[in-house]
Amino acid sequence: MAEAKNIQEQDLNQLLKVRREKLAALQAAGKDPFQITKYDVTHHSKDIKDGFDAMEGQTVRLAGRIMQKRVMGKASFCNIQDLKGTIQSYVARDSIGEDSYKNFKKYDIGDIVGIEGEVFKTKTGEISIHASSVTLLSKSLQILPEKYHGLTNTDLRYRQRYTDLIMNEEVKDTFVKRSKIISAIRRYLDGQGFMEVETPMLVSNAGGAAARPFETHYNALDEDVKLRISLELYLKRLIVGGMERVYEIGRVFRNEGVDTRHNPEFTLMELYQAYTDYYGMMDLTENMYRYVAQEVLGTTQVPYGDQMIDLGKPFERLTMIDVVKKYTGIDFNEIADTEAAKKLADEHHIEYEDRHTKGNILSLFFEEFCEEKLIQPTFIMDHPIEISPLTKKKPDKPEYVERFELFITGREMANAYSELNDPIDQRERFAAQEAAFAAGDEEANHTDEDFLNALEIGMPPTGGIGYGIDRLVMLLTNSPAIRDVLLFPTMKSIDK
């Protein structure tokens, strides 16, 4: 086995050496492809195939990577891959000239070429380009994975996304859809009168979510700062300032683990709308999800794994108490106090901390017994106040708040509040968070005096929501892991 591996490595090294020798020969002949600065492209492969009836006989110029090549004496075929797909080119000595044809025969799989020629259809019915010229635009000095086995090593695919995009067409399709999803979100919100804004990534107080921040040092100011964990507190400042509908799509950073649903840096969208509440956020969310699915996929019936997710029908709405009762038979309305809740947790083998209260225990029951069962779109409403430090209390049940989370395929997709705009109440909530931090909760919020000052200036009743953009892309592209929808996911250094 070791001997066979050594032979393979020697063969590979020889092939790589040959490619460099070909480049050196081109450079010595004054034909260095890396000296070429531009190539005027008129069409892409899919445009030509889709528009063949009108384009037959037309001269086109396209550029891309050689993915297959069949040399047959005085005429050859090659397949060129560009942004939109692949197309065959017929390259004949009599059409491009003897010297050019000799050069073409030496080109390798992976080389990038520009091809000019007429659109035609071969005897077998394949739409192709009859080349009148072939220009080498870039020499590939590495060897692509073998076509039929492709790039299958998952770790290598994430580390070398550029190769993954070349070899796996469905991967490129995922990221094309990702771009379309974000564009559709922007169109929808712009049409609803929202304004897109940008807020700081480096902050002195990373608040707005329960997460541990990354920390760094700002040399110019000689201050320690943090990377933001949410967009919330600055966007609310803008609501105070009179910008009634704002949203931001941007990266946030959370110093936490990596798994199929989590990456330390990810794309979050938050939006805030004055003079509405969490019910308004539910309506907006339903309508936006349907709009985006229809725009990108052409349907609201979305396949995910072995499930068919129906975004077309009204999303179910359940309180956290209701859904825990539905799946466990336990009604937390009948649980008298924290002591009784902890006893229940012990009976159901749910781990908790000494500082946890009845509301925390309810949340733990929900996470343990309910989340994974919420496959079709479901709004889970009215969370306990202990886990919602920035949310308005329910007037009739002040131990709960006007908050919802959207779950689809057992995953949290969005988190929304009727925003807390009472500065006195907010200060008390911050104090409770500071106490939790002192008791060992590293994800607790810290008091933000400038934000409290903004609330004292006055914030109108406001609905706010945060969306995990990566999880929405996972849903609409049928991707099982967050790394599949991040072009460059976080990876452990290869030398560690």
Side-chain angles (χ1 to χ4, degrees), residues 228-466:
R228 67 185 180 186
I229 59 174
S230 84
L231 314 173
E232 179 167 348
L233 300 184
Y234 281 97
L235 291 176
K236 285 182 176 178
R237 286 169 167 89
L238 299 181
I239 295 293
V240 170
M243 294 182 171
E244 295 182 0
R245 299 187 182 203
V246 294
Y247 75 96
E248 181 174 7
I249 300 174
R251 287 281 180 151
V252 297
F253 309 87
R254 298 182 181 180
N255 199 349
E256 56 189 20
V258 177
D259 59 30
T260 57
R261 302 186 188 188
H262 297 91
N263 195 71
E265 57 175 306
F266 61 97
T267 302
L268 181 66
M269 181 177 78
E270 292 194 30
L271 64 84
Y272 293 85
Q273 179 180 340
Y275 311 114
T276 192
D277 61 5
Y278 73 146
Y279 288 106
M281 293 295 99
M282 286 187 217
D283 293 340
L284 181 148
T285 298
E286 278 198 49
N287 292 333
M288 187 183 77
Y289 266 59
R290 290 189 191 110
Y291 175 87
V292 172
Q294 193 67 49
E295 285 281 294
V296 176
L297 305 179
T299 179
T300 56
Q301 304 298 306
V302 179
Y304 191 82
D306 58 359
Q307 303 282 344
M308 182 62 72
I309 306 303
D310 188 352
L311 298 178
K313 68 180 183 182
F315 295 5
E316 188 173 10
R317 302 183 180 192
L318 295 169
T319 69
M320 187 174 284
I321 286 178
D322 288 341
V323 75
V324 168
K325 183 177 179 181
K326 177 178 179 180
Y327 290 112
T328 70
I330 298 169
D331 186 350
F332 267 76
N333 283 323
E334 298 177 357
I335 306 303
D337 51 27
T338 294
E339 185 178 349
K342 287 184 174 179
K343 184 179 178 183
L344 265 177
D346 291 335
E347 292 171 359
H348 288 79
H349 310 291
I350 291 181
E351 295 182 4
Y352 57 86
E353 299 176 27
D354 288 343
R355 62 183 175 83
H356 282 159
T357 62
K358 174 184 169 181
N360 298 112
I361 303 297
L362 169 62
S363 178
L364 291 172
F365 265 81
F366 169 73
E367 292 173 4
E368 180 69 24
F369 297 112
C370 306
E371 273 194 27
E372 65 182 20
K373 296 180 174 67
L374 303 175
I375 304 302
Q376 294 300 325
T378 307
F379 291 119
I380 300 301
M381 307 158 50
D382 301 352
H383 294 50
I385 193 170
E386 293 92 332
I387 62 170
S388 311
L390 299 168
T391 317
K392 271 193 174 181
K393 298 174 184 175
K394 291 184 69 65
D396 57 337
K397 294 182 73 174
E399 66 273 31
Y400 296 94
V401 296
E402 294 190 351
R403 173 184 174 187
F404 74 77
E405 292 173 289
L406 171 63
F407 285 87
I408 306 176
T409 68
R411 294 175 177 149
E412 178 200 340
M413 306 294 287
N415 184 21
Y417 310 152
S418 294
E419 301 296 338
L420 179 60
N421 62 342
D422 178 345
I424 297 171
D425 189 356
Q426 181 63 79
R427 183 174 291 279
E428 292 172 355
R429 307 275 192 98
F430 275 139
Q433 287 286 296
E434 294 284 8
F437 181 79
D441 184 357
E442 294 182 352
E443 297 183 346
N445 283 212
H446 293 284
T447 303
D448 188 327
E449 289 292 347
D450 183 72
F451 176 65
L452 287 169
N453 184 66
L455 290 187
E456 289 177 358
I457 295 292
M459 187 173 85
T462 298
I465 187 166

Side-chain angles (χ1 to χ4, degrees), residues 78-146:
C78 65
N79 280 18
I80 303 301
Q81 177 179 292
D82 62 14
L83 172 67
K84 298 183 179 180
T86 60
I87 194 167
Q88 178 176 267
S89 179
Y90 172 69
V91 183
R93 184 190 67 181
D94 293 345
S95 298
I96 68 170
E98 189 167 345
D99 289 342
S100 293
Y101 190 65
K102 284 181 181 178
N103 290 331
F104 170 78
K105 289 197 293 183
K106 296 177 183 177
Y107 296 165
D108 292 305
I109 302 300
D111 287 352
I112 296 173
V113 296
I115 291 184
E116 181 174 356
E118 288 188 4
V119 178
F120 80 111
K121 190 176 285 187
T122 65
K123 291 178 181 178
T124 59
E126 184 167 354
I127 296 169
S128 307
I129 309 299
H130 188 152
S132 56
S133 71
V134 180
T135 305
L136 181 63
L137 303 175
S138 182
K139 183 68 186 168
S140 175
L141 301 180
Q142 281 286 353
I143 296 172
L144 293 175
E146 195 272 319

Side-chain angles (χ1 to χ4, degrees), residues 28-256:
K31 298 176 181 178
D32 186 351
F34 299 125
Q35 295 295 317
I36 295 175
T37 58
K38 65 176 292 188
Y39 188 84
D40 292 325
V41 174
T42 62
H43 295 81
H44 284 89
S45 55
K46 189 173 186 299
D47 304 330
I48 295 167
K49 289 180 175 180
D50 290 349
F52 174 76
D53 290 343
M55 295 185 65
E56 186 175 12
Q58 183 177 330
T59 297
V60 297
R61 290 167 61 92
L62 76 162
R65 191 179 300 274
I66 298 175
M67 297 302 291
Q68 289 184 336
K69 185 166 169 252
R70 303 181 299 284
V71 177
M72 301 178 294
K74 299 178 182 179
S76 301
F77 288 93
C78 65
N79 280 18
I80 303 301
Q81 177 179 292
D82 62 14
L83 172 67
K84 298 183 179 180
T86 60
I87 194 167
Q88 178 176 267
S89 179
Y90 172 69
V91 183
R93 184 190 67 181
D94 293 345
S95 298
I96 68 170
E98 189 167 345
D99 289 342
S100 293
Y101 190 65
K102 284 181 181 178
N103 290 331
F104 170 78
K105 289 197 293 183
K106 296 177 183 177
Y107 296 165
D108 292 305
I109 302 300
D111 287 352
I112 296 173
V113 296
I115 291 184
E116 181 174 356
E118 288 188 4
V119 178
F120 80 111
K121 190 176 285 187
T122 65
K123 291 178 181 178
T124 59
E126 184 167 354
I127 296 169
S128 307
I129 309 299
H130 188 152
S132 56
S133 71
V134 180
T135 305
L136 181 63
L137 303 175
S138 182
K139 183 68 186 168
S140 175
L141 301 180
Q142 281 286 353
I143 296 172
L144 293 175
E146 195 272 319
K147 175 70 177 173
Y148 294 101
H149 294 96
L151 184 63
T152 56
N153 181 303
T154 303
D155 186 76
L156 189 62
R157 283 182 52 218
Y158 296 142
R159 291 185 187 279
Q160 294 187 12
R161 184 65 87 186
Y162 42 89
T163 309
D164 192 24
L165 290 165
I166 293 168
M167 300 308 301
N168 297 313
E169 187 175 349
E170 69 278 6
V171 172
K172 183 184 289 185
D173 182 60
T174 291
F175 290 105
V176 169
K177 282 181 179 172
R178 181 186 176 107
S179 179
K180 290 179 178 179
I181 288 165
I182 294 174
S183 295
I185 289 170
R186 286 192 165 106
R187 283 196 302 276
Y188 178 79
L189 292 178
D190 293 347
Q192 297 296 311
F194 282 84
M195 178 168 62
E196 185 172 9
V197 297
E198 295 173 307
T199 62
M201 290 190 183
L202 289 173
V203 296
S204 58
N205 187 349
R212 187 190 313 174
F214 288 93
E215 299 182 5
T216 187
H217 186 76
Y218 194 167
N219 291 336
L221 298 180
D222 192 23
E223 289 182 0
D224 290 333
V225 292
K226 301 174 179 66
L227 289 170
R228 67 185 180 186
I229 59 174
S230 84
L231 314 173
E232 179 167 348
L233 300 184
Y234 281 97
L235 291 176
K236 285 182 176 178
R237 286 169 167 89
L238 299 181
I239 295 293
V240 170
M243 294 182 171
E244 295 182 0
R245 299 187 182 203
V246 294
Y247 75 96
E248 181 174 7
I249 300 174
R251 287 281 180 151
V252 297
F253 309 87
R254 298 182 181 180
N255 199 349
E256 56 189 20

